[in-house]
């Protein structure tokens, strides 16, 4: 498919270029050969494209005309590349005064309308085609300079270039071996699009009667002539303009195809989606919690499972930790609970209940009303989670004002009150600030205030302190604990930090490779973990000693989504793994005060006791 | 904030100087001799020399440029070699039609392009493909082909609109000719930046606060997505200065583009210089406007 998108326009272009190149051999008539007995003849066997007002064969004139137009475009393209690539490389590679000068000049040149500059050149050099096309290449090269400079800077910043420089290689070598291969893609794309632009501009000038003059045909002046005959012979315009449009379109298509091929982002596969399972009534018994997930399975693209069969519930006033290494599906589970999954990811089966109601069964408007009012959300990255274009005050007011019947003064007072409750010291200043003007810790307080604005009963916090300084982390956690206790909030706290769990949570849900492996009260979990993964995580953290450190890793890695083992998904990293573990999927089994997904969980308990 | 504005203004001055100096140098270096253009081939060497010194052409280049600039600052752009008309009045007399075409096209392109871009950026699907196709076609199909094609259909085929001339109805086809590619370019940029914005973390956070989707799209995402769109609109205006040259020729509109072409054909250098200067001023004003809009739209840009 991709290949066809490149091959077809490339083939058409090659044909046109070859036909123009071999015009003297292919043209059925001489381009200037007149026949006043056969003027403006319609297309016929003798004259495939008809004849013009002097009875000249249009096909032959187009073939010869292409020689002027295409060679003009080729000159411009050559200058464009010869000037743009080295200057762009130079600017991107050196930075400093050379870079600033080149960029400044390029910006200046970019600000001038091309055709106007070319008109001056044409006026001064009396219709000199070559000079004009050189000028076109020079003015156009600004875009090449920009792109190459940007790409070079990006490559230069990468480690391998820095290290290559350190190894004492000369600059030219680095440029050729390391930089050029990476900027070749953008260079090709730029050159392709400029080639199309050059053809269009060259023919526009010809159309205006500038450049190479009639009777010598060019694609541009042929269009100009055809417009004079638009009434009696509309096909003349159709053909002459059509040739140029066809060439420009094919060059553009080639450019698009090359850009798609050299683009760095891999396209996600888009497999057909299976019908969405709607268990509804068939699900397990409704739980008593304010927030309950029942057998939730989330897939990417409808096929790759990210989270499988996750069930747990939060009671009012309870703080539950959702724990695991990155890539275990914690965040995806939290987002499923919020009902805000990323594009391409969906809830394939299972039920999310908020206050007993199946969220999927609600209308989208009703679902939206749950957000903010029943469920609040505290994000991981505080500053990017605030709209950069609005002040903190206006973002707070926007949420507060969704409650009907508040006067402007009441809204303002309530915003200030919310900030005071999250212990913002200088309320008026923060209200008037834009997100980029406040610190990360302050921004996280604002996010919490925004989440609490409509007094929800559930708070979902996705690693709320990971992005913050250690000292600020403690303050934010303290704030969350106080709010939860004061307002009887159910909090789902996604984290990979045992310190946070120990500090705040009553229970913990441990996830591994997209599934729940253990749910236990925190006290039990720390004393007697029921799953080898929990134990390994705890031990890894203890070695890390400081209470807020991130988890040092357990040997091995979390398997990628979709690459999970048929039996126990932890078996490859588990010190207790046995044959029975790999034989069949391991179900969740009850433990004295929770659940665990391990066939040898009893032995583990005994081992811990000893 | 004020520092930022001053900085932007400071860029406009060298831009104007560079553009005028470039055109001035080009003219001065031109192989043709204005004295010959004016007097024809048959005059005596003394007559040529006299005219040259009368025109000030025997002085050093920098002096000539300074002199020209000094006169420009006083509103004197010189006289046309061909018609003897003052360049300034020639330009002012032709400015309105050109500005109507440019302003009209910009408004139409922006309205259609932004609307299409938002739709395809938020909903994707078919409208995404339409925008892709349109932008390629808008890029590849030359204005000198679209214009006459519109004339054939709407002026000759069914006589709804006049084919030529500068009237309100006469502006419809020229604006349509230019707006197809303009709207396509704006639609593509709007689509891409809306798409990126809608993936943003704060959009997720806004949704989590239960705000209506319409409000998220139009108040928050659009505002943030608009910065690159404004850039493209600014570039479009600069390109339209080129496009208007073609369109004025097709539709016989008595504007600056036609003046530029005619002066080019007659090698009327003072007139060309004047037109370049006028167009550069438009570019300078547009760039300043774009920069100021950035400041309004993006609070982060307000710190120098
Ligand atoms: S089931 Fe086996 S492999 Fe899996 S965690 Fe338990 S002991 Fe380890």
């Amino acid at each position: 498919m991709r290949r066809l998108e490149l091959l077809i326009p490339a083939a058409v272009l090659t044909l046109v270029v070859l036909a123009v190149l071999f015009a003297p051999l292919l043209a059925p008539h001489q381009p200037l050969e007149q026949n006043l007995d056969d003027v403006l003849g319609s297309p016929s066997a003798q004259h495939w494209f008809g004849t013009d007002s002097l009875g000249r064969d249009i096909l032959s004139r187009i073939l010869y005309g292409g020689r002027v137009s295409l060679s003009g475009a080729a000159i411009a393209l050559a200058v464009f590349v010869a000037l743009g690539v080295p200057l762009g490389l130079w600017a991107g590679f050196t930075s400093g005064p050379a870079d600033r000068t080149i960029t400044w000049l390029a910006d200046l040149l970019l600000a001038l309308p091309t055709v106007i500059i070319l008109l001056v050149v044409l006026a001064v050099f009396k219709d000199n085609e070559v000079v004009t096309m050189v000028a076109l290449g020079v003015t156009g090269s600004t875009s090449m300079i920009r792109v190459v400079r940007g790409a070079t800077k990006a490559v230069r910043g990468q480690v391998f270039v820095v290290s290559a420089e350190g190894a004492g290689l000369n600059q030219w070598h680095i440029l050729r071996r390391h930089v050029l291969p990476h900027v070749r893609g953008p260079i090709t794309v730029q050159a392709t699009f400029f080639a199309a632009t050059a053809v269009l501009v060259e023919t526009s000038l010809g159309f205006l009667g500038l450049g190479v003059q009639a009777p010598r045909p060019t694609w541009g002046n042929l269009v100009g002539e055809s417009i004079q005959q638009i009434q009696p012979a509309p096909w003349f315009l159709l053909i002459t303009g059509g040739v140029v449009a066809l060439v420009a379109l094919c060059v553009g298509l080639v450019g698009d195809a090359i850009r798609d091929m050299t683009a760095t982002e891999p396209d996600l596969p888009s497999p057909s989606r299976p019908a969405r399972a709607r268990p509804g009534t068939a699900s397990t018994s409704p739980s008593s919690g304010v927030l309950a997930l029942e057998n939730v399975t989330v897939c990417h693209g409808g096929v790759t499972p990210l989270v499988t069969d996750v069930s747990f519930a939060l009671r009012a006033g309870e703080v539950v930790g959702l724990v695991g290494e990155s890539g275990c599906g914690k965040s995806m589970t939290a987002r499923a609970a919020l009902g805000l999954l990323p594009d391409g990811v969906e809830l394939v089966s299972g039920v999310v209940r908020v206050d007993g109601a199946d969220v999927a069964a609600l209308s989208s408007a009703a679902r939206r009303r749950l957000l903010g009012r029943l469920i609040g959300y505290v994000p991981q990255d505080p500053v990017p989670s605030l709209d950069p274009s609005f002040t903190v005050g206006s973002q707070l007011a926007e949420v507060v004002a969704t409650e009907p019947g508040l006067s402007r003064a009441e809204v303002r007072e309530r915003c200030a009150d919310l900030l005071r409750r999250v212990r913002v010291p200088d309320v008026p200043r923060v209200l008037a600030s834009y997100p980029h003007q406040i610190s990360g810790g302050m921004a996280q307080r604002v996010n919490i205030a925004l989440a609490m604005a409509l007094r929800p009963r559930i708070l979902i916090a996705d690693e709320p302190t990971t992005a913050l300084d250690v000292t600020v982390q403690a303050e934010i956690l303290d704030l969350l604990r106080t709010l939860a206790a004061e307002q009887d909030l159910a909090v789902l706290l996604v984290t990979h930090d045992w310190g946070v769990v120990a500090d705040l949570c009553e229970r913990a849900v441990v996830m591994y490779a997209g599934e729940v492996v253990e749910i236990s009260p925190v006290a039990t979990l720390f004393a007697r973990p029921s799953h080898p993964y929990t134990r390994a995580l705890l031990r890894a953290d203890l070695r890390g000693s400081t209470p807020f450190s991130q988890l040092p890793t357990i040997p091995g890695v979390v398997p990628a989504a979709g690459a999970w083992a048929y039996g126990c998904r932890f078996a490859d990293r588990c010190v207790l793994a046995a044959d029975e573990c790999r034989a069949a999927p391991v179900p969740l089994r009850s433990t004295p005060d929770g659940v665990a997904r391990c066939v040898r969980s009893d032995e583990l308990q005994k081992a811990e006791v000893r | 904030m004020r520092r930022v504005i001053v900085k932007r203004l400071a860029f406009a001055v060298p831009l104007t100087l560079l553009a005028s100096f470039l055109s001035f140098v080009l003219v001065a270096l031109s192989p043709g001799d204005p004295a010959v253009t004016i007097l024809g081939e048959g005059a005596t060497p003394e007559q040529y020399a006299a005219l040259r010194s009368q025109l000030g052409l025997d002085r050093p280049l920098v002096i000539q440029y300074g002199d020209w600039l000094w006169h420009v600052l006083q509103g004197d752009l010189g006289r046309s070699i061909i018609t003897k008309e003052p360049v300034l009045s020639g330009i002012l007399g032709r400015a309105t039609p050109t500005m109507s075409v440019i302003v009209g096209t910009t408004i139409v392109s922006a309205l259609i392009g932004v609307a299409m871009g938002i739709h395809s950026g938020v909903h994707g699907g078919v409208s995404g493909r339409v925008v892709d196709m349109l932008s390629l076609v808008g890029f590849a199909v030359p204005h000198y082909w679209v214009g006459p094609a519109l004339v054939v259909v709407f002026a000759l085929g069914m006589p709804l609109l006049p084919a030529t001339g500068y009237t309100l109805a006469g502006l419809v086809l020229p604006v349509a000719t230019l707006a197809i590619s303009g709207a396509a370019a704006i639609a593509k940029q709007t689509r891409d930046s809306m798409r990126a914005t809608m993936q943003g973390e704060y959009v997720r956070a806004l949704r989590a606060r239960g705000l209506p989707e319409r409000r998220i799209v139009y108040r928050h995402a659009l505002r943030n997505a608009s910065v690159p769109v404004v850039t493209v609109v600014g570039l479009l205006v600069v390109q339209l200065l080129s496009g208007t040259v073609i369109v004025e020729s097709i539709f016989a509109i008595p504007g600056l583009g036609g003046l530029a072409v005619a002066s080019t054909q007659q090698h009327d250098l003072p007139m060309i210089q004047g037109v370049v200067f006028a167009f550069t001023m438009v570019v300078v004003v547009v760039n300043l406007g774009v920069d100021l809009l950035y400041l309004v739209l993006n609070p982060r840009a307000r710190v120098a």
Side-chain angles (χ1 to χ4, degrees):
Chain A
M1 187 61 197
R2 273 283 162 76
R3 192 166 284 178
L4 275 186
E5 279 170 17
L6 177 63
L7 281 184
I8 293 176
V12 173
L13 271 180
T14 314
L15 279 180
V16 173
V17 171
L18 284 178
V20 165
L21 214 57
F22 293 107
L25 296 177
L26 295 173
H29 299 266
Q30 281 304 306
L32 302 181
E33 177 190 309
Q34 301 185 4
N35 177 2
L36 294 177
D37 294 335
D38 184 15
V39 297
L40 295 177
S42 311
S44 63
Q46 245 265 299
H47 302 286
W48 288 4
F49 288 175
T51 55
D52 71 5
S53 57
L54 295 174
R56 295 173 295 197
D57 181 53
I58 292 175
L59 173 60
S60 307
R61 285 180 69 73
I62 287 179
L63 288 176
Y64 276 95
R67 297 167 78 87
V68 175
S69 298
L70 291 185
S71 57
I75 294 172
L77 181 63
V79 172
F80 175 80
V81 174
L83 201 63
V85 174
L87 283 181
L89 284 173
W90 190 25
F93 205 71
T94 57
S95 42
D99 175 28
R100 279 198 295 277
T101 314
I102 293 171
T103 315
W104 189 76
L105 277 175
D107 279 355
L108 277 182
L109 218 50
L110 190 73
L112 297 174
T114 313
V115 167
I116 302 305
I117 298 182
L118 297 184
L119 285 183
V120 177
V121 173
L122 280 163
V124 169
F125 291 92
K126 316 251 157 145
D127 291 326
N128 186 321
E129 171 90 1
V130 175
V131 176
T132 311
M133 289 300 114
V134 169
L136 174 59
V138 173
T139 54
S141 65
T142 53
S143 66
M144 180 64 111
I145 291 175
R146 285 183 154 208
V147 169
V148 173
R149 173 181 174 270
T152 309
K153 275 220 157 26
V155 176
R156 203 184 134 77
Q158 281 165 22
V159 190
F160 69 91
V161 177
V162 175
S163 63
E165 234 169 349
L169 297 168
N170 73 41
Q171 300 257 330
W172 175 241
H173 179 82
I174 298 165
L175 210 60
R176 229 189 32 181
R177 287 295 305 278
H178 299 286
V179 179
L180 262 184
H182 285 267
V183 297
R184 205 178 288 149
I187 289 177
T188 318
V189 172
Q190 282 299 310
T192 316
F193 283 106
F194 182 76
T197 309
V199 172
L200 291 169
V201 171
E202 197 282 338
T203 52
S204 294
L205 295 175
F207 165 80
L208 291 171
L210 305 165
V212 172
Q213 296 292 318
R216 201 176 153 203
T218 72
W219 283 355
N221 70 22
L222 282 171
V223 177
E225 283 168 27
S226 69
I227 283 180
Q228 308 303 318
Q229 314 300 336
I230 197 166
Q231 200 107 63
W235 77 85
F236 189 6
L237 172 69
L238 193 72
I239 291 168
T240 52
V243 170
V244 182
L246 180 73
V247 168
L249 191 70
C250 286
V251 179
L253 281 169
V254 169
D256 269 354
I258 295 175
R259 174 162 55 200
D260 289 351
M261 286 188 320
T262 55
T264 40
E265 310 155 90
D267 272 13
L268 293 162
S270 51
S272 57
R273 285 174 188 185
R276 183 171 159 170
R278 289 278 296 107
T281 51
S283 67
T284 45
S285 62
S287 6
S288 53
V290 280
L291 174 69
L293 273 67
E294 296 165 10
N295 314 101
V296 164
T297 295
V298 165
C299 287
H300 177 260
V303 283
T304 314
L306 301 177
V307 166
T308 54
D309 202 24
V310 165
S311 303
F312 62 84
L314 268 70
R315 290 184 297 272
E318 183 187 34
V319 182
V320 171
L322 190 55
V323 201
E325 291 162 285
S326 351
C328 284
K330 298 172 312 229
S331 286
M332 213 45 85
T333 305
R335 292 180 67 171
L338 269 171
L340 292 176
L341 289 165
D343 283 349
V345 176
E346 53 187 313
L347 185 73
V348 176
S349 63
V351 181
V352 175
R353 285 183 198 280
V354 174
D355 230 7
D358 176 359
V359 172
L362 300 173
S363 73
S364 62
R367 224 178 309 169
R368 205 188 58 235
R369 270 195 296 275
L370 289 180
L371 292 167
R373 286 162 191 78
L374 265 176
I375 311 181
Y377 167 69
V378 180
Q380 178 169 358
D381 279 330
V383 178
S385 295
L386 298 170
D387 185 334
S389 298
F390 292 89
T391 60
V392 167
S394 85
Q395 295 190 55
L396 266 171
E398 184 176 23
V399 179
V400 169
T402 52
E403 239 173 276
L406 289 177
S407 74
R408 279 171 143 227
E410 283 171 317
V411 169
R412 220 173 309 133
E413 183 40 45
R414 207 180 274 194
C415 293
D417 191 47
L418 280 164
L419 285 191
R420 275 193 290 273
R421 247 192 288 166
V422 295
R423 302 179 201 155
V424 166
D426 187 357
V427 171
R429 186 187 68 85
V430 172
L431 277 176
S433 297
Y434 285 97
H436 70 274
Q437 295 169 323
I438 58 180
S439 70
M442 196 59 69
Q444 195 60 307
R445 287 173 202 275
V446 171
N447 275 300
I448 294 171
L450 280 161
M452 302 297 299
L454 301 175
R455 282 173 247 105
R457 293 167 53 202
I458 306 160
L459 200 63
I460 295 180
D462 187 358
E463 313 223 14
T465 57
T466 312
L468 303 175
D469 290 344
V470 177
T471 46
V472 184
Q473 286 186 357
E475 291 168 25
I476 296 289
L477 290 173
D478 192 38
L479 175 65
L480 283 175
R481 183 184 21 239
T482 316
L483 287 175
E486 278 174 11
Q487 316 203 5
D488 208 23
L489 272 178
V491 180
L492 179 64
L493 189 68
V494 180
T495 180
H496 53 221
D497 189 333
W498 283 124
V500 173
V501 176
D503 205 17
L504 244 65
C505 302
E506 286 137 61
R507 279 196 304 149
V509 177
V510 184
M511 285 188 72
Y512 183 76
E515 63 186 359
V516 172
V517 293
E518 176 169 1
I519 303 179
S520 294
V522 167
T524 318
L525 196 87
F526 278 94
R528 280 170 283 110
S530 302
H531 195 281
Y533 178 60
T534 315
R535 188 177 68 166
L537 270 186
L538 281 167
R539 290 194 172 167
D541 189 50
L542 285 178
R543 274 203 302 274
S545 74
T546 59
F548 295 107
S549 70
Q550 302 199 341
L551 295 178
T553 42
I554 306 162
V557 288
V558 183
W564 297 328
Y566 172 67
C568 175
R569 294 178 187 170
F570 186 57
D572 284 347
R573 300 169 77 190
C574 180
V575 285
L576 297 178
D579 285 350
E580 57 173 330
C581 307
R582 294 190 170 90
V586 183
L588 272 179
R589 297 180 197 181
S590 293
T591 56
D593 46 8
V595 289
R597 194 185 293 276
C598 176
V599 290
R600 305 184 65 183
S601 141
D602 294 345
E603 295 161 55
L604 189 70
Q605 293 279 338
K606 284 178 204 138
E608 282 297 309
V609 171
R610 229 181 26 233
Chain B
M1 177 98 171
R2 184 170 301 151
R3 267 228 311 269
V4 178
I5 296 176
V6 168
K7 223 164 145 186
R8 303 290 154 93
L9 272 171
F11 188 73
V13 176
L15 177 62
T16 322
L17 287 180
L18 181 84
S20 61
F21 188 68
L22 273 184
S23 65
F24 194 87
V25 169
L26 274 175
V27 169
L29 294 178
S30 72
D33 185 340
V36 179
T37 312
I38 296 171
L39 294 177
E41 302 283 345
T44 64
E46 290 75 31
Q47 281 173 306
Y48 288 134
L51 183 61
R52 261 188 230 119
S53 79
Q54 185 198 328
L55 293 173
L57 296 175
D58 51 353
R59 296 169 302 162
L61 196 59
V62 183
I63 305 284
Q64 287 187 50
Y65 175 67
D67 190 47
W68 180 81
L69 201 63
W70 177 242
H71 281 103
V72 168
L73 289 176
Q74 294 168 324
D76 176 13
L77 288 168
R79 282 174 184 274
S80 158
I81 291 181
I82 308 295
T83 63
K84 309 291 183 227
E85 173 194 25
V87 168
L88 187 63
S89 71
I91 288 172
L92 289 180
R94 305 280 207 120
T96 321
T98 300
M99 289 306 135
S100 317
V101 171
I102 290 175
V103 171
T105 307
T106 308
I107 293 172
V108 170
S109 306
L111 288 180
I112 297 176
V114 167
M116 277 174 44
I118 293 175
H119 188 271
S120 102
V122 174
H123 302 285
V126 180
S127 67
R129 290 205 64 87
V130 170
V131 168
D132 278 337
M133 294 240 311
L134 245 177
S135 73
L136 191 61
V137 170
F139 166 75
V141 176
H143 291 142
Y144 56 73
W145 200 38
V146 178
L150 292 177
V151 169
V152 170
V153 176
F154 292 103
L156 303 178
M158 31 180 164
L160 294 175
L161 294 163
T164 57
Y166 175 59
T167 59
L168 192 60
L171 278 177
V172 173
L173 290 182
V175 166
T177 304
L178 294 173
I180 292 176
S181 55
I186 293 175
K188 193 171 172 105
Q189 182 59 60
T190 309
R191 192 266 311 274
D192 292 350
S193 69
M194 274 304 270
R195 217 186 244 169
T197 312
M198 291 300 285
Q199 304 291 329
E201 285 180 55
Y202 62 86
V203 168
R204 192 197 313 158
L206 286 164
R207 286 192 175 132
R209 285 170 217 150
L211 293 174
E213 191 69 15
R214 287 182 67 90
R215 201 176 167 84
I216 296 175
V217 170
Y218 288 98
R219 183 176 152 95
H220 294 278
L222 186 58
R223 168 84 179 261
N224 285 285
S226 61
V227 173
V229 176
V230 168
T231 311
V232 170
V233 174
L235 284 175
L236 174 70
V237 177
V238 177
Q239 283 166 15
L240 285 179
L241 291 174
S242 297
T244 188
V245 175
I246 305 287
V247 164
E248 285 176 23
S249 156
I250 297 170
F251 295 96
I253 296 170
L256 290 175
L259 181 64
V261 174
S263 329
T264 306
Q265 281 162 343
Q266 299 162 339
H267 306 290
D268 185 350
L269 298 174
M271 196 54 113
I272 285 275
Q273 266 179 348
V275 175
V276 171
F277 187 73
F279 278 18
T280 311
M281 291 317 293
V282 174
V283 173
V284 167
V285 169
V286 167
N287 283 351
L288 266 180
V290 166
D291 285 343
L292 293 182
L293 252 179
Y294 281 157
L295 294 182
V296 173
L297 289 172
N298 183 3
R300 279 164 297 183
R302 284 173 212 162
V303 257

